[in-house]
Amino acid sequence: MAEQRPEIANSIQTGSFKTNYHDLGKGFPVTLLHGSGPGVTAWANWNKLFPLLKDDFRIIAPDMSGFGFTERVPGRVETMNGWVEQTIDLLDALKIEKTNLVGNSFGGALALSLAIKYPQRVNKLVLMGAMGVSFPITYGLDQVWGYEPSIEHMEELLEIFTYDHSFATKDLVKSRYESSIQPGFQESFHALFPEPRQKGVEAMAGNENFIRNIPHETLIVHGREDRVIPLDNSYKLLKLIDKAQLHVFGHCGHWTQIEHTQEFADLTRSFFKR
């Protein structure tokens, strides 16, 4: 039964559709924004962090429109502005006036856009392997966005995501593959990132003058061996954002929160509580 899937949690109206989201813990809100890989859900991206952060913060983790188990609207064209408004609609529906943001990859670009458009709704930012600035598309990202469903292709992608391939377990491969072939999932995913996929990178890139004016304290995190989003992105963001600091994890690919879960949780907790 679909209801038994751990990816499916709460549902709430956000604009013209319902958003699937996780809501756990207590304390000052932290909103977790997932990446853009095939079969991604908030749960797949963040579930290892939930038990490590829920005693200190209220964790909100939505499936963004076009991904996961959030309601799909026929004919809807996904844009960064649309994802920004979905997030604000979700915060409004939950009566959350201000939140910390953690954005992974695509979610990092979304976090930047939220901080630019709604600075009063954001407390602090964590950008992890973030998009949000222009770069030549990597082989890894091109493979991610060009995914065609198969166990073999998903296994290849999870090895691209990780430095230590032991994290790309058979269970994780199976779970992400099964999510990617849910009814309507691959069709919407395929529509998000058509060729030439460099256009997708540029669509995620913010205006550098706006990024430069972001006033929030920002923690930038990146894996040194990231083959999906180049480490250079984080150096660019470090130079652009005035109140920024950068932490680089060695022996780490694109999934800091999975390969270095405890260290990432400790770093994030300390940053938010300071």
Side-chain angles (χ1 to χ4, degrees), residues 6-7 26 40-41 69 79-80 94 111-112 121 131 157 174 195 198 200 221 235 247 271:
E7 300 98 321
K26 56 187 178 180
V40 73
T41 61
F69 292 88
T79 65
M80 186 56 72
L94 297 176
L112 287 167
R121 305 299 295 270
M131 301 185 71
L157 290 188
K174 182 172 181 285
E195 295 187 88
Q198 183 65 39
V221 180
Y235 284 113
H247 187 103
F271 173 68

Side-chain angles (χ1 to χ4, degrees), residues 17-176:
F17 57 90
K18 290 184 177 180
T19 290
N20 177 60
Y21 71 101
H22 301 261
D23 185 348
L24 64 157
K26 56 187 178 180
F28 193 85
V30 175
T31 302
L32 306 176
L33 303 171
H34 61 69
S36 62
V40 73
T41 61
W43 185 88
N45 215 151
W46 302 114
N47 75 88
K48 290 181 72 175
L49 283 179
F50 290 167
L52 301 181
L53 295 178
K54 68 181 179 64
D55 290 341
D56 295 284
F57 308 102
R58 180 184 179 186
I59 304 299
I60 307 295
D63 288 352
M64 301 315 299
S65 181
F67 297 96
F69 292 88
T70 281
E71 184 181 1
R72 282 163 169 72
V73 178
R76 176 181 165 91
V77 177
E78 303 296 350
T79 65
M80 186 56 72
N81 282 338
W83 288 312
V84 167
E85 294 310 316
Q86 177 194 1
T87 309
I88 294 299
D89 286 344
L90 175 64
L91 295 177
D92 286 347
L94 297 176
K95 296 180 169 51
I96 294 173
E97 292 185 9
K98 183 172 281 195
T99 182
N100 293 315
L101 291 177
V102 181
N104 170 211
S105 195
F106 148 76
L110 174 54
L112 287 167
S113 295
L114 282 157
I116 290 166
K117 192 167 183 181
Y118 292 97
Q120 74 280 9
R121 305 299 295 270
V122 178
N123 185 44
K124 291 183 178 182
L125 288 171
V126 174
L127 307 173
M128 189 181 75
M131 301 185 71
V133 293
S134 179
F135 62 93
I137 192 168
T138 61
Y139 169 81
L141 183 57
D142 196 49
Q143 288 296 299
V144 169
W145 283 356
Y147 169 79
E148 295 293 342
S150 74
I151 286 282
E152 294 75 20
H153 199 180
M154 184 60 78
E155 186 171 20
E156 178 191 352
L157 290 188
L158 297 201
E159 290 189 353
I160 288 172
F161 276 125
T162 54
Y163 170 80
D164 180 350
H165 297 336
S166 70
F167 286 98
T169 63
K170 288 184 178 180
D171 284 347
L172 183 57
V173 171
K174 182 172 181 285
S175 171
R176 289 293 292 259

